[in-house]
Amino acid sequence: ENAMGKIVSTGKPAIGGEWSLVDLDGNLVTNKQFEGKWTLLYFGFARCPDICPSEMVKVGQVMDTLAKEHPKLAKQIKPIFVSVDPARDSLIALKEYAKDFHPEYIFLTGSPDQVQQMAKKYRVYVSKADETEDGDYLVDHSIVIYFHDDTGDLADCFTQSMRPSDVIEKIIERMTFVPTM
């Protein structure tokens, strides 16, 4: 980029990296399996009462709109949900949770160590809140949707305050950008 007459290079944020988790069928899934696809990655938990479901629905709206208006782009994107509560988000619990969301979603979990390692690579804040008398609890966590390009590099991040139309605009911009030299 040019800045004040000087060529300035920009670096990549140290977010992401290699990971391996388990899908709803118990199969090992790694980041390598998404090479060639763009991904929308969200960290959440199945017992979340409000924010996770609304962010998941937002991604579903984005996917549906892209499928209608930009089908070629939509076919290149995979939405991924990673549980930050592996203690309670069993495969059975996640299968039940998945029924409420867009069918393209890939739901992943793993051992507490696997999930913690991946969350750390993405700089996701995760903290178990105080338990109630009946043993229930919430999990505080970062609310960010990570958008990766087809090589696995981070292309953008979408925050909770962004509307589906804002996310769609950014996705189209990132997926159709042609650098000029």
Side-chain angles (χ1 to χ4, degrees):
E1 280 185 44
N2 276 328
M4 299 173 68
K6 296 180 182 179
I7 295 182
V8 179
S9 65
T10 55
K12 293 181 186 175
I15 295 176
E18 294 191 3
W19 51 264
S20 62
L21 294 171
V22 177
D23 70 11
L24 293 181
D25 295 319
N27 299 313
L28 183 69
V29 176
T30 73
N31 57 294
K32 300 277 186 208
Q33 289 168 260
F34 297 99
E35 287 178 357
K37 291 280 185 191
W38 292 69
T39 60
L40 288 164
L41 175 65
Y42 182 74
F43 292 84
F45 65 109
R47 294 185 187 204
C48 180
D50 47 20
I51 294 170
C52 294
S54 64
E55 289 298 284
M56 302 273 290
V57 167
K58 178 166 65 178
V59 169
Q61 291 169 337
V62 166
M63 293 299 296
D64 287 343
T65 301
L66 285 170
K68 285 181 194 137
E69 298 175 9
H70 302 275
K72 287 182 181 177
L73 297 183
K75 288 177 184 171
Q76 298 175 56
I77 302 171
K78 280 288 174 199
I80 303 169
F81 174 91
V82 175
S83 170
V84 294
D85 187 13
R88 294 185 300 181
D89 286 350
S90 65
L91 296 181
I92 293 168
L94 283 177
K95 279 182 185 180
E96 195 58 34
Y97 187 62
K99 292 177 184 177
D100 292 332
F101 300 103
H102 198 279
E104 289 289 320
Y105 259 109
I106 296 168
F107 287 80
L108 301 174
T109 189
S111 70
D113 188 51
Q114 284 175 302
V115 170
Q116 186 179 24
Q117 285 177 25
M118 185 176 179
K120 186 176 180 180
K121 288 179 181 183
Y122 280 87
R123 305 209 182 325
V124 174
Y125 167 77
V126 179
S127 178
K128 180 180 164 184
D130 294 335
E131 286 188 28
T132 61
E133 287 180 17
D134 62 359
D136 197 16
Y137 59 89
L138 296 177
V139 179
D140 295 327
H141 62 89
S142 305
I143 305 164
V144 176
I145 299 165
Y146 299 90
F147 186 50
H148 295 87
D149 68 17
D150 54 358
T151 67
D153 285 341
L154 186 66
D156 212 332
C157 293
F158 308 129
T159 61
Q160 182 184 10
S161 64
M162 294 177 76
R163 299 170 308 202
S165 59
D166 300 327
V167 174
I168 291 164
E169 184 180 316
K170 290 282 191 182
I171 287 173
I172 293 166
E173 183 181 303
R174 298 292 180 261
M175 291 182 77
T176 60
F177 176 74
V178 179
T180 56
M181 293 289 168

Coordinates of all heavy atoms in Angstrom, one line a residue, residues 10-77:
T10 N 2.0 -4.6 5.1 CA 1.1 -4.9 6.2 C 1.3 -6.4 6.5 O 1.5 -7.2 5.6 CB -0.3 -4.6 5.9 OG1 -0.7 -5.3 4.7 CG2 -0.6 -3.1 5.7
G11 N 1.3 -6.7 7.8 CA 1.5 -8.1 8.2 C 0.2 -8.8 8.4 O -0.9 -8.2 8.3
K12 N 0.3 -10.0 8.8 CA -0.9 -10.8 9.1 C -1.0 -10.9 10.6 O 0.0 -11.1 11.3 CB -0.8 -12.2 8.5 CG -0.8 -12.3 7.0 CD -0.7 -13.7 6.5 CE -0.6 -13.8 5.0 NZ -0.4 -15.1 4.6
P13 N -2.2 -10.9 11.1 CA -2.4 -11.0 12.6 C -2.1 -12.5 13.0 O -2.3 -13.4 12.2 CB -3.9 -10.7 12.8 CG -4.5 -10.9 11.5 CD -3.5 -10.6 10.5
A14 N -1.5 -12.6 14.2 CA -1.1 -13.9 14.7 C -2.4 -14.6 15.3 O -2.5 -14.8 16.5 CB 0.0 -13.8 15.7
I15 N -3.3 -14.9 14.4 CA -4.6 -15.5 14.8 C -4.8 -16.7 14.0 O -4.7 -16.7 12.8 CB -5.8 -14.5 14.7 CG1 -5.6 -13.3 15.6 CG2 -7.1 -15.2 14.9 CD1 -6.7 -12.3 15.5
G16 N -5.2 -17.8 14.6 CA -5.4 -19.1 13.9 C -4.3 -20.0 13.9 O -3.3 -19.8 14.7
G17 N -4.3 -21.0 13.1 CA -3.3 -22.0 13.0 C -3.9 -23.4 12.8 O -5.1 -23.6 12.6
E18 N -3.0 -24.4 13.0 CA -3.5 -25.8 12.8 C -4.3 -26.2 14.0 O -4.0 -25.8 15.1 CB -2.3 -26.7 12.6 CG -1.6 -26.4 11.3 CD -0.5 -27.4 10.9 OE1 -0.4 -28.4 11.6 OE2 0.1 -27.2 9.9
W19 N -5.3 -27.0 13.7 CA -6.1 -27.6 14.8 C -6.8 -28.9 14.4 O -6.8 -29.2 13.2 CB -7.2 -26.6 15.2 CG -8.0 -26.0 14.1 CD1 -7.8 -24.8 13.5 CD2 -9.2 -26.6 13.5 NE1 -8.8 -24.7 12.5 CE2 -9.6 -25.7 12.5 CE3 -9.9 -27.8 13.7 CZ2 -10.7 -26.0 11.7 CZ3 -11.0 -28.1 12.9 CH2 -11.4 -27.2 11.9
S20 N -7.2 -29.7 15.3 CA -8.0 -30.9 15.1 C -9.0 -31.1 16.1 O -8.8 -30.9 17.3 CB -7.0 -32.1 15.0 OG -6.4 -32.3 16.3
L21 N -10.2 -31.3 15.7 CA -11.4 -31.5 16.6 C -12.2 -32.7 16.0 O -11.7 -33.4 15.1 CB -12.2 -30.2 16.6 CG -11.6 -29.0 17.3 CD1 -12.4 -27.8 17.1 CD2 -11.3 -29.3 18.7
V22 N -13.4 -32.9 16.5 CA -14.3 -34.0 16.2 C -15.6 -33.4 15.7 O -16.2 -32.5 16.3 CB -14.5 -34.9 17.4 CG1 -15.4 -36.1 17.1 CG2 -13.1 -35.4 17.9
D23 N -16.1 -34.0 14.6 CA -17.5 -33.6 14.1 C -18.6 -34.4 14.7 O -18.3 -35.2 15.6 CB -17.5 -33.7 12.6 CG -17.5 -35.1 12.0 OD1 -17.7 -36.1 12.8 OD2 -17.3 -35.2 10.8
L24 N -19.8 -34.1 14.3 CA -21.0 -34.8 15.0 C -21.0 -36.3 14.8 O -21.7 -36.9 15.5 CB -22.3 -34.1 14.4 CG -22.5 -32.7 14.8 CD1 -23.8 -32.2 14.2 CD2 -22.5 -32.5 16.3
D25 N -20.3 -36.8 13.8 CA -20.2 -38.3 13.6 C -19.0 -38.9 14.3 O -18.8 -40.1 14.2 CB -20.2 -38.6 12.1 CG -21.5 -38.1 11.5 OD1 -22.6 -38.3 12.1 OD2 -21.4 -37.6 10.4
G26 N -18.3 -38.1 15.1 CA -17.1 -38.6 15.8 C -15.9 -38.7 15.0 O -14.9 -39.3 15.4
N27 N -15.9 -38.1 13.8 CA -14.7 -38.1 12.9 C -13.8 -37.0 13.2 O -14.2 -35.9 13.5 CB -15.2 -38.0 11.4 CG -16.1 -39.1 11.0 OD1 -15.8 -40.3 11.2 ND2 -17.2 -38.8 10.3
L28 N -12.5 -37.3 13.1 CA -11.5 -36.3 13.3 C -11.6 -35.3 12.1 O -11.6 -35.7 10.9 CB -10.1 -36.9 13.3 CG -8.9 -36.0 13.6 CD1 -9.0 -35.4 15.0 CD2 -7.6 -36.7 13.3
V29 N -11.6 -34.0 12.4 CA -11.6 -32.9 11.4 C -10.4 -32.0 11.8 O -10.2 -31.6 12.9 CB -12.9 -32.2 11.5 CG1 -13.0 -31.0 10.6 CG2 -14.1 -33.1 11.2
T30 N -9.7 -31.6 10.7 CA -8.6 -30.7 10.9 C -8.8 -29.4 10.0 O -9.6 -29.5 9.1 CB -7.2 -31.3 10.6 OG1 -7.1 -31.4 9.2 CG2 -7.1 -32.6 11.3
N31 N -8.1 -28.4 10.3 CA -8.1 -27.2 9.4 C -7.7 -27.5 8.0 O -8.3 -26.9 7.1 CB -7.2 -26.1 10.0 CG -5.7 -26.6 10.1 OD1 -5.5 -27.5 10.9 ND2 -4.8 -26.0 9.3
K32 N -6.9 -28.5 7.8 CA -6.5 -28.9 6.4 C -7.7 -29.3 5.5 O -7.6 -29.1 4.3 CB -5.5 -30.0 6.5 CG -4.2 -29.7 7.2 CD -3.2 -29.0 6.4 CE -1.9 -28.8 7.2 NZ -1.2 -27.6 6.7
Q33 N -8.7 -29.8 6.1 CA -9.9 -30.3 5.4 C -10.7 -29.2 4.7 O -11.5 -29.4 3.9 CB -10.8 -31.2 6.2 CG -10.1 -32.5 6.5 CD -10.8 -33.3 7.6 OE1 -10.4 -33.3 8.7 NE2 -11.9 -33.9 7.2
F34 N -10.4 -27.9 5.2 CA -11.1 -26.8 4.6 C -10.3 -26.0 3.6 O -10.7 -25.0 3.1 CB -11.6 -25.9 5.8 CG -12.5 -26.6 6.7 CD1 -12.1 -27.2 7.9 CD2 -13.9 -26.8 6.3 CE1 -13.0 -27.9 8.7 CE2 -14.8 -27.5 7.1 CZ -14.3 -28.0 8.3
E35 N -9.1 -26.5 3.3 CA -8.3 -25.9 2.2 C -9.1 -25.9 0.9 O -9.7 -26.9 0.6 CB -6.9 -26.6 2.1 CG -6.0 -26.3 3.2 CD -4.7 -27.0 3.2 OE1 -4.4 -27.7 2.2 OE2 -3.8 -26.8 4.1
G36 N -9.1 -24.8 0.3 CA -9.9 -24.6 -0.9 C -11.3 -24.1 -0.7 O -12.1 -23.8 -1.6
K37 N -11.7 -24.0 0.6 CA -13.0 -23.4 1.0 C -12.7 -22.2 1.9 O -11.7 -22.1 2.6 CB -13.8 -24.4 1.9 CG -14.3 -25.6 1.1 CD -15.5 -25.2 0.3 CE -16.1 -26.4 -0.3 NZ -17.2 -26.1 -1.3
W38 N -13.7 -21.2 1.8 CA -13.7 -20.1 2.7 C -14.5 -20.6 3.9 O -15.4 -21.3 3.8 CB -14.3 -18.9 2.1 CG -13.5 -18.3 0.9 CD1 -13.3 -18.9 -0.3 CD2 -12.8 -17.1 0.9 NE1 -12.5 -18.1 -1.1 CE2 -12.2 -17.0 -0.4 CE3 -12.7 -16.0 1.8 CZ2 -11.5 -15.8 -0.7 CZ3 -12.0 -14.9 1.4 CH2 -11.3 -14.8 0.2
T39 N -14.2 -20.1 5.1 CA -14.9 -20.5 6.3 C -15.3 -19.3 7.2 O -14.6 -18.3 7.3 CB -14.1 -21.5 7.2 OG1 -12.9 -20.8 7.6 CG2 -13.7 -22.8 6.5
L40 N -16.5 -19.5 7.8 CA -17.0 -18.6 8.8 C -17.0 -19.4 10.1 O -17.7 -20.3 10.3 CB -18.4 -18.2 8.5 CG -18.6 -17.2 7.3 CD1 -20.0 -17.2 6.9 CD2 -18.1 -15.8 7.7
L41 N -16.0 -19.1 11.0 CA -15.8 -19.8 12.2 C -16.3 -19.1 13.4 O -15.9 -17.9 13.6 CB -14.3 -20.1 12.3 CG -13.7 -20.7 13.6 CD1 -14.2 -22.2 13.7 CD2 -12.2 -20.7 13.6
Y42 N -17.1 -19.8 14.2 CA -17.7 -19.2 15.4 C -17.5 -20.1 16.6 O -17.7 -21.3 16.5 CB -19.2 -18.9 15.2 CG -19.8 -18.2 16.4 CD1 -19.6 -16.9 16.7 CD2 -20.6 -18.9 17.3 CE1 -20.1 -16.2 17.8 CE2 -21.2 -18.3 18.4 CZ -20.9 -16.9 18.6 OH -21.4 -16.3 19.7
F43 N -17.0 -19.5 17.7 CA -16.9 -20.3 19.0 C -18.1 -20.0 19.9 O -18.4 -18.8 20.1 CB -15.6 -19.8 19.7 CG -14.3 -20.2 19.0 CD1 -13.8 -19.4 18.0 CD2 -13.7 -21.4 19.4 CE1 -12.6 -19.8 17.4 CE2 -12.5 -21.7 18.7 CZ -12.0 -20.9 17.7
G44 N -18.7 -21.0 20.4 CA -19.9 -20.8 21.3 C -20.2 -22.0 22.1 O -19.4 -22.9 22.2
F45 N -21.4 -22.1 22.6 CA -21.8 -23.3 23.4 C -23.3 -23.5 23.3 O -24.0 -22.6 23.1 CB -21.3 -23.2 24.8 CG -21.9 -22.2 25.7 CD1 -22.8 -22.5 26.7 CD2 -21.6 -20.8 25.5 CE1 -23.4 -21.5 27.5 CE2 -22.1 -19.8 26.3 CZ -23.0 -20.2 27.3
A46 N -23.7 -24.8 23.3 CA -25.0 -25.2 23.0 C -26.1 -24.7 24.1 O -27.2 -24.5 23.7 CB -25.2 -26.7 22.9
R47 N -25.7 -24.4 25.3 CA -26.6 -23.9 26.3 C -26.7 -22.4 26.4 O -27.3 -21.9 27.3 CB -26.3 -24.5 27.7 CG -26.5 -26.0 27.7 CD -26.2 -26.6 29.1 NE -26.3 -28.0 29.0 CZ -26.5 -28.8 30.0 NH1 -26.8 -28.3 31.2 NH2 -26.5 -30.1 29.9
C48 N -26.0 -21.7 25.5 CA -26.0 -20.3 25.5 C -27.5 -19.8 25.3 O -28.1 -20.3 24.3 CB -25.1 -19.7 24.4 SG -25.1 -17.9 24.3
P49 N -28.0 -18.9 26.1 CA -29.4 -18.6 26.0 C -29.7 -17.5 25.0 O -30.9 -17.4 24.5 CB -29.7 -18.0 27.4 CG -28.4 -17.5 27.9 CD -27.3 -18.4 27.3
D50 N -28.7 -16.7 24.5 CA -29.1 -15.7 23.6 C -28.1 -15.3 22.5 O -28.4 -15.3 21.4 CB -29.5 -14.4 24.4 CG -28.5 -14.1 25.5 OD1 -27.3 -14.5 25.4 OD2 -28.9 -13.3 26.4
I51 N -26.9 -15.0 22.9 CA -25.9 -14.4 22.0 C -25.5 -15.5 20.9 O -25.5 -15.2 19.7 CB -24.7 -13.8 22.7 CG1 -25.1 -12.6 23.5 CG2 -23.6 -13.4 21.7 CD1 -24.1 -12.0 24.4
C52 N -25.1 -16.6 21.3 CA -24.7 -17.7 20.4 C -25.8 -17.9 19.4 O -25.6 -17.9 18.2 CB -24.3 -19.0 21.1 SG -22.8 -18.8 22.1
P53 N -27.0 -18.2 19.8 CA -28.1 -18.5 18.8 C -28.3 -17.3 17.9 O -28.5 -17.5 16.7 CB -29.4 -18.7 19.7 CG -28.8 -19.1 21.0 CD -27.5 -18.4 21.2
S54 N -28.2 -16.1 18.3 CA -28.5 -14.9 17.4 C -27.3 -14.8 16.4 O -27.5 -14.5 15.3 CB -28.7 -13.6 18.2 OG -27.6 -13.2 18.9
E55 N -26.1 -15.0 16.9 CA -24.9 -15.0 15.9 C -25.0 -16.1 14.9 O -24.7 -16.0 13.7 CB -23.6 -15.0 16.7 CG -23.3 -13.8 17.4 CD -23.2 -12.6 16.5 OE1 -22.1 -12.4 15.9 OE2 -24.1 -11.7 16.5
M56 N -25.5 -17.3 15.4 CA -25.6 -18.5 14.5 C -26.7 -18.2 13.4 O -26.5 -18.5 12.3 CB -25.9 -19.7 15.3 CG -24.9 -20.0 16.4 SD -23.6 -21.0 15.8 CE -24.4 -22.5 15.5
V57 N -27.8 -17.6 13.9 CA -28.9 -17.3 12.9 C -28.4 -16.2 11.9 O -28.7 -16.3 10.7 CB -30.1 -16.8 13.7 CG1 -31.1 -16.1 12.8 CG2 -30.8 -18.0 14.4
K58 N -27.6 -15.3 12.4 CA -27.0 -14.2 11.5 C -26.2 -14.9 10.4 O -26.4 -14.6 9.2 CB -26.2 -13.2 12.3 CG -25.6 -12.2 11.4 CD -25.0 -11.0 12.2 CE -23.9 -11.3 13.1 NZ -23.4 -10.1 13.8
V59 N -25.4 -15.8 10.8 CA -24.5 -16.5 9.8 C -25.5 -17.3 8.8 O -25.2 -17.3 7.6 CB -23.5 -17.5 10.4 CG1 -22.9 -18.4 9.4 CG2 -22.5 -16.7 11.2
G60 N -26.5 -17.9 9.3 CA -27.5 -18.6 8.4 C -28.1 -17.6 7.5 O -28.3 -17.9 6.3
Q61 N -28.5 -16.4 7.9 CA -29.1 -15.4 7.0 C -28.0 -15.0 6.0 O -28.4 -14.8 4.8 CB -29.5 -14.2 7.8 CG -30.7 -14.4 8.8 CD -30.9 -13.3 9.7 OE1 -30.0 -12.5 10.1 NE2 -32.1 -13.2 10.2
V62 N -26.8 -14.9 6.4 CA -25.7 -14.5 5.4 C -25.6 -15.6 4.4 O -25.6 -15.3 3.2 CB -24.4 -14.3 6.2 CG1 -23.2 -14.3 5.2 CG2 -24.4 -13.0 7.0
M63 N -25.6 -16.8 4.8 CA -25.5 -18.0 3.9 C -26.7 -18.0 2.9 O -26.5 -18.2 1.7 CB -25.4 -19.3 4.6 CG -24.1 -19.5 5.4 SD -22.6 -19.4 4.4 CE -22.8 -20.9 3.4
D64 N -27.9 -17.8 3.4 CA -29.1 -17.8 2.6 C -29.1 -16.7 1.5 O -29.4 -16.9 0.4 CB -30.4 -17.8 3.4 CG -30.6 -19.1 4.1 OD1 -30.0 -20.1 3.8 OD2 -31.4 -19.0 5.1
T65 N -28.7 -15.5 2.0 CA -28.7 -14.4 1.1 C -27.6 -14.6 0.0 O -27.9 -14.3 -1.2 CB -28.4 -13.0 1.9 OG1 -29.5 -12.9 2.8 CG2 -28.4 -11.8 0.9
L66 N -26.4 -15.0 0.4 CA -25.4 -15.3 -0.6 C -25.8 -16.4 -1.6 O -25.5 -16.2 -2.8 CB -24.1 -15.7 0.1 CG -23.3 -14.6 0.8 CD1 -22.2 -15.1 1.7 CD2 -22.8 -13.6 -0.2
A67 N -26.5 -17.4 -1.1 CA -27.0 -18.5 -2.0 C -27.9 -17.9 -3.0 O -27.9 -18.4 -4.2 CB -27.6 -19.6 -1.2
K68 N -28.7 -16.9 -2.7 CA -29.7 -16.4 -3.6 C -29.0 -15.4 -4.6 O -29.3 -15.4 -5.8 CB -30.8 -15.6 -2.9 CG -31.8 -16.6 -2.2 CD -32.9 -15.8 -1.5 CE -33.7 -16.7 -0.6 NZ -34.0 -16.1 0.7
E69 N -28.2 -14.5 -4.0 CA -27.6 -13.4 -4.7 C -26.3 -13.6 -5.3 O -25.9 -13.0 -6.3 CB -27.6 -12.1 -3.9 CG -29.0 -11.7 -3.4 CD -29.0 -10.5 -2.5 OE1 -28.0 -9.9 -2.2 OE2 -30.1 -10.2 -1.9
H70 N -25.5 -14.5 -4.7 CA -24.1 -14.8 -5.2 C -23.9 -16.3 -5.0 O -23.0 -16.7 -4.2 CB -23.1 -14.0 -4.4 CG -23.3 -12.5 -4.5 ND1 -22.8 -11.8 -5.5 CD2 -24.0 -11.6 -3.7 CE1 -23.1 -10.5 -5.4 NE2 -23.8 -10.4 -4.3
P71 N -24.6 -17.1 -5.7 CA -24.5 -18.6 -5.5 C -23.1 -19.2 -5.7 O -22.7 -20.1 -4.9 CB -25.5 -19.2 -6.5 CG -25.8 -18.1 -7.5 CD -25.5 -16.8 -6.8
K72 N -22.3 -18.6 -6.6 CA -20.9 -19.2 -6.8 C -20.1 -18.9 -5.5 O -19.3 -19.7 -5.1 CB -20.3 -18.5 -8.0 CG -20.8 -19.1 -9.3 CD -20.1 -18.5 -10.5 CE -20.7 -19.0 -11.8 NZ -20.1 -18.4 -12.9
L73 N -20.3 -17.8 -4.9 CA -19.5 -17.5 -3.7 C -20.0 -18.3 -2.5 O -19.2 -18.9 -1.8 CB -19.6 -16.0 -3.3 CG -19.1 -14.9 -4.3 CD1 -19.2 -13.5 -3.7 CD2 -17.6 -15.3 -4.6
A74 N -21.3 -18.4 -2.4 CA -21.9 -19.2 -1.3 C -21.4 -20.7 -1.3 O -21.2 -21.2 -0.2 CB -23.5 -19.2 -1.4
K75 N -21.3 -21.2 -2.5 CA -20.8 -22.6 -2.6 C -19.4 -22.8 -2.1 O -19.0 -23.9 -1.8 CB -20.9 -23.1 -4.0 CG -22.4 -23.4 -4.4 CD -22.5 -23.8 -5.9 CE -23.9 -23.9 -6.3 NZ -24.1 -24.1 -7.7
Q76 N -18.6 -21.7 -2.0 CA -17.2 -21.8 -1.5 C -17.1 -21.6 0.0 O -16.0 -21.7 0.5 CB -16.4 -20.7 -2.3 CG -16.4 -20.9 -3.8 CD -15.6 -19.7 -4.4 OE1 -14.5 -19.4 -4.0 NE2 -16.3 -19.0 -5.3
I77 N -18.2 -21.3 0.7 CA -18.1 -21.0 2.1 C -18.7 -22.1 3.0 O -19.8 -22.7 2.7 CB -18.9 -19.7 2.4 CG1 -18.4 -18.6 1.6 CG2 -18.9 -19.4 3.9 CD1 -19.2 -17.3 1.6

